[in-house]
Amino acid sequence: MAEEMAKQIDVGVDIALIHYPVLGKQGEIIGAAITNLDLHDIARTGRTYGIGNYYIVTPYAEQQTLVREIIEHWQTGHGSQANPARKEAFSIVRLAASLDEVIAKTKKVYDVQPLIMTTSAHEQAGEINYRAARKKIAEADRTLLLFGTAHGLAPEILERADYALPAILGGTAYNHLSVRAAVAIVCDRLVARNDT
Amino acid sequence: MAEEMAKQIDVGVDIALIHYPVLGKQGEIIGAAITNLDLHDIARTGRTYGIGNYYIVTPYAEQQTLVREIIEHWQTGHGSQANPARKEAFSIVRLAASLDEVIAKTKKVYDVQPLIMTTSAHEQAGEINYRAARKKIAEADRTLLLFGTAHGLAPEILERADYALPAILGGTAYNHLSVRAAVAIVCDRLVARNDT
């Protein structure tokens, strides 16, 4: 894994897409199912912005098997021949059972404790603005951005944050972006080079 | 349509997602199939940023029927009851057979000729940066942002641009964002209120 990553630009930022524990419609704790396009869109966005690792976090064995099959199809299977650009995007996709496993992997591969930044469609404790977040990322050894599926990250995940990013507001009261769109916007705000 | 739009914030910007004419893998002109999640993700992004109208552009009758069914499901069907936020997002989704029809509708509803801005993953003639584009949008009566499916907008569409937006670069050589991610990033760059 380390060798493969060395070949490509890595801005020192990783993404984890949490499928458990997340919030359901009524604010209850649920586990969300894997969405194929979450793997594709966020891998493509991540690779564009030099994200080092994109972790799909799910504790469910059958869902993990599905994720492994999708990764394999695009990394070594038919998809890798049919679409080399998609193969390259999938080179940053990893599987993990929990946030703790993501942190453990980061410590093992990079020998650092990642700075954890959480995202939410609602106001959080410990928010810093995007300008301040860019500075923190530049100072950190490695930063881990956490995104939630379903109705967002559970409190027990939000509590793990070193810093929280403000909700993405577009000037309206509507705040129901897809997680695919939210990741794209956050990457652009935090690591874009030509945003003027 | 005009009455329904008056209820919500409209920043004077519309989006058209072109399914024909676009480029295929070898640079040939093709018509792309509708992707359900393009409707959902871009409607949600558009509604977040105050986009007035999100046009799905396809000349194919069967594909138009599919688009109408999806819109109806979320606007008046079961989906509108199950998910009011999604109903609100779909309130900006429109169907058009061609770019010319989009422009004609804009003239009819708003009595103005829209300023046309094109997007591409590659360098285009007539590019202005995002800062300049924000200024042009502020000065224009109404702006129409064009996005392509498949491998991007055909030359005959790119030629219709008043201005072209630069490709979204993330600091790497990889430039294969999904159109869903590209729309989110462009909206954030052009109309976001809290991007610091």
Side-chain angles (χ1 to χ4, degrees):
Chain A
M1 187 168 82
E3 191 180 281
E4 159 190 305
M5 288 185 301
K7 289 185 214 155
Q8 55 194 39
I9 291 172
D10 175 354
V11 296
V13 177
D14 299 320
I15 287 173
L17 183 66
I18 309 286
H19 293 77
Y20 173 88
V22 292
L23 299 177
K25 219 175 191 173
Q26 315 297 334
E28 75 281 23
I29 303 294
I30 63 160
I34 296 293
T35 299
N36 181 44
L37 219 52
D38 285 351
L39 273 71
H40 285 259
D41 277 19
I42 296 175
R44 294 164 74 181
T45 295
R47 188 64 198 86
T48 299
Y49 287 96
I51 299 300
N53 305 276
Y54 165 34
Y55 295 97
I56 310 295
V57 180
T58 177
Y60 306 112
E62 285 187 12
Q63 295 278 296
Q64 291 178 350
T65 301
L66 173 62
V67 172
R68 277 193 204 96
E69 284 172 358
I70 297 171
I71 294 175
E72 194 178 298
H73 174 78
W74 293 103
Q75 278 293 89
T76 58
H78 178 68
S80 67
Q81 304 291 322
N83 192 338
R86 199 58 55 88
K87 178 185 179 177
E88 188 178 344
F90 268 86
S91 71
I92 66 168
V93 182
R94 329 269 176 234
L95 178 63
S98 66
L99 173 56
D100 285 327
E101 190 184 319
V102 172
I103 294 169
K105 282 190 176 188
T106 306
K107 284 182 182 165
K108 193 177 166 193
V109 174
Y110 300 97
D111 201 24
V112 297
Q113 170 82 22
L115 184 77
I116 296 179
M117 289 189 184
T118 51
T119 60
S120 172
H122 308 286
E123 203 174 326
Q124 299 180 73
E127 280 187 8
I128 57 173
N129 67 25
Y130 285 85
R131 188 182 305 269
R134 285 195 288 273
K135 196 157 172 279
K136 296 290 180 194
I137 288 171
E139 291 165 358
D141 289 314
R142 198 145 197 101
T143 302
L144 176 62
L145 303 175
L146 303 185
F147 292 88
T149 50
H151 289 256
L153 295 167
E156 65 191 273
I157 299 289
L158 292 175
E159 285 164 9
R160 305 284 293 273
D162 292 304
Y163 298 102
L165 292 170
I168 296 164
L169 303 177
T172 72
Y174 190 88
N175 67 339
H176 303 279
L177 286 171
S178 72
V179 71
R180 298 166 291 280
V183 171
I185 293 162
V186 167
C187 283
D188 196 61
R189 289 183 178 192
L190 294 181
V191 297
R193 306 299 202 285
N194 68 338
D195 62 343
T196 53
Chain B
M1 188 168 80
E3 191 178 282
E4 159 189 307
M5 288 185 300
K7 288 184 212 156
Q8 54 194 40
I9 291 173
D10 176 352
V11 295
V13 177
D14 299 320
I15 287 174
L17 183 66
I18 309 287
H19 292 77
Y20 173 88
V22 291
L23 298 177
K25 219 173 191 174
Q26 316 297 334
E28 75 279 23
I29 303 293
I30 63 161
I34 297 293
T35 299
N36 180 44
L37 218 52
D38 284 351
L39 273 71
H40 286 258
D41 278 18
I42 297 175
R44 294 164 74 182
T45 295
R47 187 65 198 87
T48 298
Y49 288 96
I51 299 300
N53 305 276
Y54 165 34
Y55 295 98
I56 311 295
V57 180
T58 177
Y60 306 112
E62 283 186 13
Q63 295 279 296
Q64 291 178 350
T65 300
L66 173 62
V67 172
R68 276 193 206 97
E69 284 172 358
I70 297 171
I71 294 174
E72 195 178 299
H73 174 77
W74 292 104
Q75 278 293 89
T76 58
H78 177 67
S80 67
Q81 303 292 322
N83 191 337
R86 199 59 55 88
K87 178 183 179 178
E88 188 178 344
F90 268 86
S91 71
I92 65 168
V93 183
R94 328 269 176 234
L95 178 63
S98 65
L99 173 57
D100 285 328
E101 189 183 320
V102 173
I103 294 169
K105 283 189 175 187
T106 306
K107 285 183 183 166
K108 194 177 167 193
V109 174
Y110 301 97
D111 201 23
V112 297
Q113 171 81 21
L115 184 77
I116 296 179
M117 290 189 185
T118 51
T119 60
S120 171
H122 307 286
E123 204 175 322
Q124 299 180 71
E127 280 187 8
I128 58 172
N129 67 26
Y130 285 85
R131 188 182 305 270
R134 286 195 288 272
K135 196 157 174 277
K136 295 290 179 194
I137 289 171
E139 291 165 359
D141 290 314
R142 197 145 197 101
T143 302
L144 176 62
L145 302 176
L146 304 185
F147 292 88
T149 51
H151 289 255
L153 295 166
E156 66 191 272
I157 299 290
L158 291 176
E159 285 164 9
R160 306 284 294 273
D162 293 302
Y163 298 102
L165 291 170
I168 296 163
L169 302 177
T172 71
Y174 190 88
N175 68 339
H176 304 278
L177 287 171
S178 73
V179 71
R180 298 167 291 281
V183 171
I185 293 162
V186 167
C187 283
D188 195 61
R189 289 183 179 192
L190 293 181
V191 297
R193 305 300 203 283
N194 68 337
D195 63 342
T196 52

